[in-house]
Structure formats: structure tokens, C-alpha cells
Amino acid sequence: GTLQSMLERLKRDRCWYVWPPSALDYEQIDLQNGKLDAACPEWRMQNAFFGVMRLLNRKRRRSKTSFGTFYVPAGSSGRAHYVDENFEPVLK
């Protein structure tokens, strides 16, 4: 029923909410020894860190302009100026 399908979705997606500790953290030893393996078998590739990285990757610059150009706010008007690495206007 509905409850069963909700529980299945919860089980499928719960690992994306796990934020693994730093490699320098003591808890990392527990994780490497399998602490999460029963609950999240794919936690090494399906966790909050990788989820955030996937979302940020989608926001990468997709324009054909160079990485030396930027948009900067143009005051309270809400407009933006297109500038180069020296903050000189590229387009007027």
C-alpha cells in the first residue's frame, strides 16, 4: 500500500542524507570497518557530499565565454555588468 511504498522510497533515498566524517575524524575508522554497510551499502558513492557535488556540477558555467570574465552587481538597480579579470567592462 501507500505506507509500504513510502518506506521503500525512504530506504532507497536515505543514504543521500548521510554526511560522512572527515578522513581525519576518528569515526572514519568505524565507517571503513563497515558501520554503515548494512543501512547504506552504497554510502561511499551515495551520500550527502556526493549529492551536493552533483548539484554544484550542474551549476557550472556553461557559456562559451572565458573563465576570466565575470558578472558583478551594478548597484541597487538589480542589473549586472560583464567585466574581465581587471574589472574592466567587456560589453557596454
Side-chain angles (χ1 to χ4, degrees), residues 17-69:
Y17 292 92
V18 172
W19 197 271
S22 164
L24 302 176
D25 195 323
Y26 182 76
E27 287 186 3
Q28 183 66 267
I29 295 170
D30 291 338
L31 288 180
Q32 294 302 325
N33 289 331
K35 181 179 180 181
L36 274 180
D37 290 349
C40 295
E42 303 295 323
W43 71 267
R44 288 171 180 84
M45 295 302 293
Q46 290 182 0
N47 59 55
F49 176 78
F50 279 103
V52 168
M53 291 297 109
R54 284 175 58 193
L55 292 172
L56 290 175
N57 188 41
R58 290 181 193 155
K59 294 182 174 282
R60 270 190 334 185
R61 187 179 191 134
R62 298 208 190 279
S63 68
K64 298 207 185 297
T65 59
S66 73
F67 284 100
T69 56

